């Protein structure tokens, strides 16, 4: 199959009042949906570049992983969201898409970068219902290809390391009104959602954007219960889509706090799929993710987070794992800032 290049997908939409959260800014879940839609467009264009030729079936891309998603600045009602999605690496059966989001104020003529995301898609044949091959892309340089290969190897290894969580289904737990304040049990939250036709794409499964918005909501509820204040999403990472969620099934979403630093809190979100067919019920793990939230004061700036009170060995273990992720992200931000400073100095 010949290598090819695919033009970026450009998506624009004005933000309306019904896109806002209780703080008046655009809801993070709505931004997540737009990012995933832009990713689907560019990955579908690339994967179907040779559809109909040499017996190649048309295919629909399926979101399998979000490597990282950053919320850099808030977006406001009345601004125009502009998204650009680019294919940045292709493997034999998967491709990486990077999405950038800008908020344009058409009245002032200003434009701000608000979000960045890296997503991985797998194409599925719409005829055979099996994973399809991805056309190789043309890289700007050998260095770009090697860097993409490293990212591919990293995400593949991480997914294999987390295969054990696929069958680790959680039991639904109602809010514990007797739990001590600032403990995991106090803030743990859950949602149940019936997957309707409006939640699905053309292949009959819930879209990644729909699932992400629900995950952001349950994570936000958990974070707000712990902080007892208004909160906003700061970033998302290590999101794995283990299996598709078909129309008519139930999604059980559960959020629990795992770690707090001075000004951030990490929320683990798990989505379990419940199928009700032929008089039987099956429940399986569908998605796992980690969300980072900050709490905002009256001036809109981050304020200190109440420390998490861990009460069990499992909670202590999860806290230490969360601390490791926090320190790694902090080191990555500092390294990126140092590199940017060196570039400007040169």
């Amino acid at each position: 199959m010949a290598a090819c290049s695919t033009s970026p997908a450009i998506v624009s939409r004005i933000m309306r009042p019904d896109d806002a959260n209780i703080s008046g800014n655009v809801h993070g879940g709505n931004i997540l949906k737009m990012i995933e839609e832009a990713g689907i467009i560019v990955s579908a264009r690339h994967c179907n570049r040779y559809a109909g030729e040499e017996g190649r079936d048309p295919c629909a891309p399926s979101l399998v992983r979000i490597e990282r998603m950053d919320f850099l600045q808030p977006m406001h009602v009345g601004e125009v969201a502009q998204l650009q999605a680019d294919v940045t690496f292709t493997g034999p059966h998967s491709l990486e898409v990077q999405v950038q989001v800008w908020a344009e104020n058409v009245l002032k003529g200003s434009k701000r970068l608000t979000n960045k995301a890296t997503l991985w898609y797998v194409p599925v044949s719409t005829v055979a219902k099996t994973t399809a091959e991805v056309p190789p892309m043309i890289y700007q340089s050998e260095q770009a290809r090697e860097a993409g290969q490293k990212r591919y190897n990293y995400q593949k290894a991480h997914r294999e390391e987390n295969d054990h969580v696929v069958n680790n289904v959680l039991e639904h737990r109602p809010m514990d009104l007797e739990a001590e304040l600032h403990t995991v049990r106090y803030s743990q939250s859950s949602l149940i959602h019936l997957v309707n036709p409006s939640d699905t794409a053309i292949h009959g499964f819930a879209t990644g954007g729909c699932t992400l918005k629900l995950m952001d909501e349950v994570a936000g509820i958990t974070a707000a219960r712990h902080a007892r204040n208004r909160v906003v999403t700061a970033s998302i990472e290590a999101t794995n889509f283990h299996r598709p969620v078909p129309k008519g099934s139930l999604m059980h979403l559960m959020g629990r706090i795992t770690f707090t630093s001075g000004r951030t809190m990490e929320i683990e979100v798990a989505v379990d799929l419940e199928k009700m067919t032929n008089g039987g019920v099956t429940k399986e793990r569908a998605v796992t993710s980690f969300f980072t939230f900050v709490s905002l004061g009256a001036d809109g700036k981050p304020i200190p987070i109440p420390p998490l009170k861990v009460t069990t060995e499992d909670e202590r273990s999860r806290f230490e794992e969360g601390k490791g992720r926090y320190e790694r992200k902090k080191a990555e931000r500092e390294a990126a800032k140092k590199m940017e400073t060196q570039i400007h100095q040169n």
Side-chain angles (χ1 to χ4, degrees), residues 120-141:
W120 289 88
Y121 289 87
V122 168
V124 178
S125 167
T126 58
V127 179
K129 307 300 182 184
T130 56
T131 302
E133 292 185 23
V134 175
M137 69 172 289
I138 298 173
Y139 298 93
Q140 293 183 344
S141 65

Side-chain angles (χ1 to χ4, degrees), residues 21 55 70 139 152 177 179 196 309:
N21 56 25
D70 293 304
Y139 298 93
Y152 171 82
L177 298 177
N196 292 296
K309 299 176 182 178

Side-chain angles (χ1 to χ4, degrees), residues 216-340:
D216 184 63
E217 288 180 359
V218 76
I221 293 170
T222 304
R225 279 178 172 170
H226 180 83
R228 300 175 69 83
N229 192 39
R230 65 188 182 116
V231 298
V232 293
T233 312
S235 66
I236 305 171
E237 73 166 324
T239 303
N240 291 307
F241 291 76
H242 304 291
R243 50 173 52 89
V245 181
K247 177 180 62 178
S249 58
L250 293 177
M251 279 196 286
H252 295 255
L253 301 99
M254 286 147 284
R256 58 181 171 187
I257 188 167
T258 52
F259 170 78
T260 57
S261 67
R263 293 183 180 273
T264 67
M265 49 192 147
E266 180 187 77
I267 311 297
E268 180 183 13
V269 179
V271 181
D272 289 339
L273 157 66
E274 181 181 344
K275 295 180 182 178
M276 297 171 289
T277 56
N278 300 323
V281 176
T282 60
K283 202 172 181 182
E284 303 169 306
R285 175 59 46 83
V287 192
T288 52
S289 183
F290 291 97
F291 287 66
T292 299
F293 279 79
V294 296
S295 181
L296 301 180
D299 59 357
K301 296 181 179 180
I303 60 175
I305 301 294
L308 176 64
K309 299 176 182 178
V310 294
T311 58
T312 68
E313 285 302 317
D314 179 64
E315 291 173 5
R316 289 187 182 89
S317 176
R318 291 178 181 277
F319 186 92
E320 290 302 317
E321 291 174 0
K323 183 179 180 180
R325 286 186 290 269
Y326 168 78
E327 291 176 344
R328 176 179 56 78
K329 287 185 289 186
K330 184 178 180 180
E332 289 175 352
R333 287 196 301 270
E334 291 175 350
K337 187 179 296 185
K338 184 177 180 180
M339 183 178 294
E340 186 176 345

